[in-house]
Amino acid sequence: MLTSTTTMFKKCYGKFAIGALNVWSMEQIHALFSAGEKSSSPFIVQMTPVARNYAHSEMLMGIIKAASKIYPKAIFATHIDHGNEQHVLDAISSGDFTSVMIDASHDSFSDNVYRTKAIVEEAHKKDVAVEAELGVLSGVEDDLSVDEKNALYTKPDEVDAFVQQTGCDSLAIAVGTSHGAYKFSGEVGLQFDILKKIQIKLPGFPLVLHGGSEVNINEIQRINNSGGKLGISAKGVGSKELKKAINYGVCKVNIATDARLIWTRVQREFFRDTPELFDPIVPGKTYMEDLEQFMIAKFDLLGSTGKADLFKYN
Ligand code: 13P
């Protein structure tokens, strides 16, 4: 059943968080919906404009609509991740999305306010919620790339003015996470002092954590043992940090890299271990099963397992 991120965040604030998986394929959508249904966990299925271009927006949404029939107990919201005006307005007018993210975080504060406010006005006419971003994450996400020196933590002193002036419904903040598999290699971690100050300025307001992947070292090692050459110093968000962030108002945790790493490991091991095979269904099935298990464990960690019932009558 489709529900809105607004409803989700009202119910989960301070208690649990909603996992938001970036999808680009049928296998991922199967895995996510199946995991959500098995765990009785609400979730967000989201896609970047690059993923929409790759698969075609109609194709991805068609698969999501099919998944909602195949997994009738799944409770989910649909979201556009990192859109510009064109992507977001297109998504709003499609009627298929319960929320959109306008990413003007690379602009000045006033330009970010101006662009976000304009989208909020359009989105709210159609009952679509808007996620905005303040602060700049480092790392690589599709066609966006920001190096560490240009990353900026969200300034707590700016958040309440930003939310008031834009009318956005949730705020993505930069508090030490980064996008992609090459995350901070040091011991930087989540900046809880900043997160705490943001929550004090925005009590009860839903915050979004981008860069939520853990970048499991076992996955990296398995990829490298089967021919990959990924760096081994990357550090994602640890389980304890993720759980702790929920207490500070983080309601949505974005995950893309971990799903990419599982895909890469599955394909590499398939080619290494069964060179005589040429059947895409074999690694495709393994990917669905492994991603499903990963999401089931993630829902547990985020505390959303068993919470689907909260949304059934909204
Ligand atoms: P990861 O790269 O850590 O998976 O983050 C994804 C993300 O934030 C998508 O917006």
Side-chain angles (χ1 to χ4, degrees):
M1 190 189 85
L2 187 64
T3 187
S4 69
T5 47
T6 308
T7 307
M8 285 181 173
F9 299 159
K10 268 189 202 139
K11 302 253 182 196
C12 75
Y13 187 92
K15 300 187 197 100
F16 60 97
I18 311 287
L21 184 68
N22 281 70
V23 298
W24 64 86
S25 74
M26 178 274 287
E27 287 83 357
Q28 288 180 297
I29 295 169
H30 257 300
L32 176 61
F33 276 71
S34 180
E37 198 172 79
K38 282 187 182 157
S39 298
S40 232
S41 168
F43 60 89
I44 297 168
V45 54
Q46 66 181 17
M47 61 197 80
T48 58
V50 170
R52 278 186 110 199
N53 280 342
Y54 163 67
H56 198 286
S57 53
E58 294 287 345
M59 182 67 81
L60 273 185
M61 198 39 78
I63 299 171
I64 289 169
K65 285 179 182 169
S68 75
K69 290 186 194 151
I70 300 165
Y71 304 98
K73 293 191 188 126
I75 302 288
F76 65 99
T78 45
H79 179 78
I80 285 284
D81 191 29
H82 293 292
N84 64 21
E85 281 76 0
Q86 188 204 330
H87 308 131
V88 162
L89 291 174
D90 179 49
I92 294 168
S93 65
S94 74
D96 287 330
F97 290 89
T98 53
S99 64
V100 293
M101 177 199 188
I102 173 74
D103 184 357
S105 60
H106 303 264
D107 291 356
S108 65
F109 180 87
S110 57
D111 286 354
N112 192 351
V113 168
Y114 178 80
R115 291 178 59 195
T116 302
K117 185 172 185 283
I119 291 301
V120 169
E121 280 167 9
E122 290 310 308
H124 285 184
K125 283 183 201 160
K126 297 257 177 111
D127 224 11
V128 172
V130 177
E131 175 185 318
E133 180 161 350
L134 197 57
V136 181
L137 263 71
S138 72
V140 180
E141 170 82 33
D142 287 342
D143 50 359
L144 291 172
S145 176
V146 177
D147 55 28
E148 272 184 52
K149 66 179 186 317
N150 289 320
L152 290 174
Y153 290 138
T154 304
K155 296 187 182 106
D157 284 345
E158 291 183 348
V159 293
D160 49 349
F162 184 83
V163 167
Q164 265 180 27
Q165 288 173 32
T166 60
C168 67
D169 303 281
S170 61
L171 187 66
I173 36 139
V175 288
T177 55
S178 53
H179 287 126
Y182 296 108
K183 296 181 184 292
F184 293 125
S185 46
E187 288 302 314
V188 184
L190 280 193
Q191 304 297 296
F192 284 102
D193 52 335
I194 301 178
L195 194 50
K196 199 171 168 181
K197 285 182 189 151
I198 293 172
Q199 192 193 31
I200 290 168
K201 294 278 182 182
L202 292 176
F205 191 80
L207 303 175
V208 177
L209 197 65
H210 281 240
S213 284
E214 64 175 301
V215 188
N216 187 317
I217 187 67
N218 292 331
E219 289 292 347
I220 304 274
Q221 275 161 354
R222 284 176 72 176
I223 289 168
N224 289 350
N225 288 342
S226 45
K229 280 195 177 138
L230 297 186
I232 53 164
S233 59
K235 185 172 171 283
V237 190
S239 310
K240 280 193 191 143
E241 290 187 304
L242 214 48
K243 269 180 111 70
K244 193 171 162 191
I246 296 169
N247 302 326
Y248 294 97
V250 168
C251 290
K252 173 174 180 265
V253 176
N254 283 9
I255 296 160
T257 297
D258 283 343
R260 292 189 174 114
L261 292 176
I262 296 169
W263 182 88
T264 306
R265 184 259 299 161
V266 167
Q267 309 301 318
R268 283 201 174 279
E269 289 185 347
F270 169 75
F271 290 124
R272 181 194 62 189
D273 297 341
T274 49
E276 71 285 6
L277 295 187
F278 54 98
D279 186 351
I281 290 177
V282 176
K285 274 185 82 171
T286 311
Y287 182 49
M288 282 196 254
E289 287 161 10
D290 288 7
L291 184 59
E292 179 186 300
Q293 286 312 308
F294 170 83
M295 287 311 301
I296 287 174
K298 194 57 72 180
F299 294 145
D300 255 357
L301 179 70
L302 297 177
S304 63
T305 301
K307 300 291 195 301
D309 282 353
L310 293 176
F311 302 93
K312 288 218 168 114
Y313 306 104
N314 287 291

